[in-house]
Amino acid sequence: MPQVDSHTYTLTTSTELAFAEAVARVREELAAEGFGVLCEIDVRATLKAKLGIEREPYLILGACNPPLAHRALEAEPELGVLLPCNVVVYQQQGQTHIAAVDAEQMLSIVGNDELADTAVEVRRRLSAVVDRAAQGGADIPRAMNAERADAAQT
């Protein structure tokens, strides 16, 4: 289960999966929860190219669930400055980590009560992504994931 601390802004956990496998699992679980990946930033490659710095793998996936994003933008048009929802997969001292933004914490800075239900829903879905991806998806049959993805697209 992702560790959630009320003093932090992420839903985070470690996994026994290798980095590449964790990235693949995160992509699968994002799709299962109705999120698409809008952008991808390979921090390792960027820092190497721009600064000559070597570091362990670090990937940022900018994820968006269109119905939830639409609902949030209807309530708060300038909310786009906080989108998309970032999910990161990185290695630190050889250990693979998965983290997602805690939407409830992030959206609490806006001060718009109309966003509360959306924030709870995004947090629930991203928490599930982090948890299931870290476990390798063993707890949820692939057919169920496919059904969730189909339902989210309609």
Side-chain angles (χ1 to χ4, degrees):
M1 194 81 174
Q3 298 173 2
V4 180
D5 181 335
S6 63
H7 296 97
T8 187
Y9 52 92
T10 63
L11 308 166
T12 187
T13 194
S14 300
T15 180
E16 296 299 318
L17 299 175
F19 177 79
E21 187 177 357
V23 169
R25 291 293 306 133
V26 166
R27 289 179 190 280
E28 289 174 19
E29 295 302 338
L30 282 168
E33 289 293 337
F35 289 85
V37 176
L38 300 178
C39 59
E40 181 175 317
I41 302 167
D42 184 336
V43 174
R44 178 186 197 177
T46 300
L47 293 178
K48 174 69 174 165
K50 302 292 183 180
L51 303 175
I53 294 173
E54 294 286 344
R55 67 163 294 129
E56 292 179 280
Y58 195 109
L59 186 68
I60 302 170
L61 300 172
C64 179
N65 179 301
L68 295 174
H70 173 68
R71 186 184 330 159
L73 290 168
E74 288 294 303
E76 186 74 36
E78 292 184 359
L79 192 68
V81 300
L82 299 177
L83 299 178
C85 294
N86 286 328
V87 180
V88 299
V89 180
Y90 66 96
Q91 280 187 334
Q92 187 171 38
Q93 299 176 344
Q95 175 71 55
T96 303
H97 303 273
I98 302 169
V101 66
D102 182 336
E104 284 187 274
Q105 291 289 333
M106 179 180 64
L107 295 182
S108 71
I109 68 169
V110 177
N112 182 337
D113 292 339
E114 291 180 53
L115 294 171
D117 290 342
T118 302
V120 167
E121 179 68 11
V122 172
R123 183 182 190 278
R124 183 192 64 74
R125 288 177 184 236
L126 290 178
S127 182
V129 166
V130 171
D131 187 41
R132 291 194 315 255
Q135 294 179 28
D139 61 329
I140 298 204
R142 298 253 186 246
M144 183 183 267
N145 284 342
E147 289 174 18
R148 286 185 184 157
D150 289 344
Q153 298 302 320
T154 57

